[in-house]
Amino acid sequence: MEDFMNTATHIQEKKENLREGFFGKFGGAYVPEVLKPILDELAEAYKTIVPTKEFQEEFRYYLKHYAGRPSPLYFAERLTEYCGGAKIYLKREDLNHTGAHKINHTIGEALLAKKMGKKKLIAETGAGQHGVATATVAARFGFDCDIYMGAVDVKKQAPNVLRMKLLGANVIEVNEGAATLKEAVDAALNAFVQNHEDVFYALGSAVGPHPYPSMVRDFQKIVGEEAEKQILEHEGRLPDYLIACVGGGSNAIGLFNQFLDYKEVNIIGVEPLGKGEKLGEHAATLNFGEEGIMHGFNSIMLKDEKGNPAPVYSIASGLDYPSVGPQHAFLKETGRAKYVAVTDREAIDALRILSEVEGIIPALESSHAIAYTIKFAKTLPKDKIIIVNLSGRGDKDLDTIFEILNLQV
Ligand SMILES: *Cc1c(COP(=O)(O)O)cnc(C)c1O
């Protein structure tokens, strides 16, 4: 497991799968032998169960009645005036149950786990957001739930630990090593390999070995499907620009997917530049990274001198990941999408601006998309249209924001 998490060593390419699960040269399933049959089972279930009418109807039912979809596409009139350029629309994923887009794919994962006859959902979590989303659907669909979390993170993220416990999940503290996200992933993967007959591993973004990047995208693509219909109702035409923040890339691909074939729609992902361009002070993977394999898939990643995943940082804990979903690496390579980066400072300023001019407090992650939008909209004529994915609400970040603004006052 150590090798699987750390580097590209001991990896055997799945030659027979060169098409399926790849986006150009990115993606794939570069995993140890023990994981191969388990992922094959999942890939088969994804291919045969998810497209069926029965699955799709059930999935859409829960998205509507449990998560609260469709989320509004809201014309941010005051933000538009504030910027004085392009028209800005916000896709309000912050209004979903649990306050972010993550509920979309965890509902999909839970339903698939049920169809596969699994009894337990497991997940790793860093800041706790993915842990809470997984614990939520475990409660709703009657699964046991083990969430692996580094002991250091458990102390830092007490409210999310409490949420998971209230939802009936076991929060398993991991004390190995630095006792943060990486050790939590190792522990969760070990548990998965040992109990895979009963267990479904719920991944938190459009990353990991095949079929996760495609599967998570398919559970998130509802965002762009709705946005297309909604912008046609509002404006009678497609948008000129889509903007979304990119951590692993699930909310971004969820919005982008529907528009990939419309060449007139420009696509922009926003990465976290943290404190600056020095390695270790940001997590702007597509801006500064190079091709490499980690966590079982080939993508663009940030490497240290030894070629291992570099330390990363962002004020938005949902964005600090040293790799990125393989489809984004492909969209960058082919030039279909562009990836920019904004700093912590710019994200915090954007959070304040959106709060003050629209009465909407965005998550720190989403604030990165807002920050770039504010800079960019100003440079565009008034007849251009931007859709921004507002991936989540800021309530979870109040402690962080409070600390920063206190320092500033
Ligand atoms: C987790 C999270 C993200 C980052 O994850 P992606 O997979 O890149 O979407 C962004 N926004 C919010 C609100 C999150 O909770």
Side-chain angles (χ1 to χ4, degrees):
M1 261 332 128
E2 278 297 294
D3 286 337
F4 170 55
M5 294 313 305
N6 274 325
T7 64
T9 50
H10 306 302
I11 275 150
Q12 274 224 315
E13 200 174 316
K14 292 187 69 185
K15 289 261 181 331
E16 72 274 21
N17 261 355
L18 266 182
R19 286 262 173 68
E20 194 173 297
F22 278 85
F23 306 90
K25 63 183 171 180
F26 301 111
Y30 299 84
V31 298
E33 286 299 326
V34 285
L35 264 176
K36 281 186 179 168
I38 306 174
L39 286 172
D40 286 347
E41 184 204 4
L42 180 62
E44 189 59 25
Y46 160 65
K47 209 161 74 177
T48 55
I49 297 172
V50 173
T52 62
K53 188 156 174 278
E54 185 198 339
F55 183 93
Q56 286 299 324
E57 279 176 2
E58 212 177 334
F59 180 45
R60 302 282 160 146
Y61 176 89
Y62 289 107
L63 287 177
K64 179 172 177 188
H65 297 286
Y66 188 66
R69 306 203 68 88
S71 67
L73 182 71
Y74 163 70
F75 173 45
E77 191 179 353
R78 295 243 304 150
L79 185 66
T80 299
E81 271 168 32
Y82 175 91
C83 297
K87 281 180 107 167
I88 302 168
Y89 283 85
L90 305 177
K91 184 61 174 157
R92 298 289 309 275
E93 292 301 294
D94 60 313
L95 294 178
N96 294 334
H97 175 48
T98 71
H101 69 288
K102 285 195 176 73
I103 193 75
N104 299 330
H105 65 248
T106 51
I107 288 175
E109 289 178 321
L111 283 176
L112 184 58
K114 207 169 77 169
K115 305 273 183 223
M116 292 173 75
K118 306 292 182 187
K119 306 273 183 300
K120 185 191 272 190
L121 300 183
I122 64 170
E124 79 291 336
T125 196
Q129 292 308 114
H130 177 52
V132 171
T134 305
T136 299
V137 295
R140 173 57 189 83
F141 294 99
F143 289 100
D144 294 335
C145 183
D146 289 350
I147 303 295
Y148 291 81
M149 194 168 182
V152 170
D153 290 330
V154 169
K155 289 212 178 56
K156 275 201 221 160
Q157 306 290 343
N160 274 342
V161 175
L162 179 60
R163 282 187 189 103
M164 289 182 257
K165 288 188 174 170
L166 285 173
L167 292 163
N170 306 308
V171 179
I172 299 174
E173 267 189 54
V174 180
N175 287 295
E176 277 79 26
T180 59
L181 182 61
K182 182 192 165 297
E183 291 75 24
V185 177
D186 290 339
L189 274 171
N190 277 326
F192 183 41
V193 169
Q194 276 158 32
N195 294 305
H196 61 91
E197 265 160 38
D198 291 331
V199 167
F200 188 98
Y201 193 131
L203 249 175
S205 188
V207 297
H210 180 67
Y212 285 105
S214 306
M215 186 173 81
V216 169
R217 176 204 58 213
D218 288 353
F219 293 150
Q220 285 292 348
K221 69 185 183 186
I222 182 83
V223 176
E225 289 172 10
E226 288 175 4
E228 183 188 13
K229 276 199 207 103
Q230 291 167 319
I231 199 68
L232 290 176
E233 273 167 33
H234 280 291
E235 296 280 350
R237 71 171 182 92
L238 293 174
D240 300 290
Y241 297 92
L242 304 175
I243 299 179
C245 67
V246 179
S250 67
N251 88 85
I253 204 67
L255 175 65
F256 298 167
N257 186 71
Q258 180 71 11
F259 298 91
L260 290 176
D261 292 336
Y262 304 135
K263 293 292 177 260
E264 68 271 35
V265 179
N266 299 284
I267 297 178
I268 303 170
V270 186
E271 296 195 314
L273 192 53
K275 293 175 186 151
E277 294 188 5
K278 224 173 91 190
L279 193 66
E281 298 199 334
H282 65 80
T285 310
L286 287 163
N287 278 272
F288 297 101
E290 52 186 303
E291 187 178 350
I293 295 168
M294 70 176 261
H295 293 179
F297 65 105
N298 187 38
S299 188
I300 305 284
M301 61 182 274
L302 290 167
K303 296 179 185 174
D304 65 15
E305 310 78 53
K306 289 185 191 149
N308 292 327
V312 281
Y313 162 81
S314 166
I315 193 164
S317 52
L319 300 182
D320 60 357
Y321 183 60
S323 185
V324 66
Q327 194 168 1
H328 289 289
F330 179 68
L331 291 174
K332 181 190 157 104
E333 194 191 52
T334 55
R336 179 64 189 94
K338 185 174 120 180
Y339 295 85
V340 299
V342 305
T343 62
D344 281 3
R345 180 80 268 155
E346 292 174 301
I348 292 158
D349 289 345
L351 183 146
R352 293 190 81 166
I353 292 166
L354 192 69
S355 302
E356 288 175 13
V357 306
E358 291 288 354
I360 297 169
I361 304 174
L364 279 168
E365 291 82 4
S366 325
S367 299
H368 286 71
I370 301 292
Y372 186 74
T373 301
I374 291 172
K375 282 201 282 193
F376 186 52
K378 288 180 184 163
T379 69
L380 298 172
K382 291 190 173 170
D383 63 347
K384 296 292 179 193
I385 299 168
I386 300 175
I387 296 179
V388 192
N389 205 7
L390 193 66
S391 55
R393 65 180 183 226
D395 304 48
K396 69 182 177 59
D397 299 316
L398 290 184
D399 284 349
T400 313
I401 299 162
F402 185 73
E403 242 174 63
I404 293 159
L405 297 187
N406 247 6
L407 285 176
Q408 237 188 281
V409 177

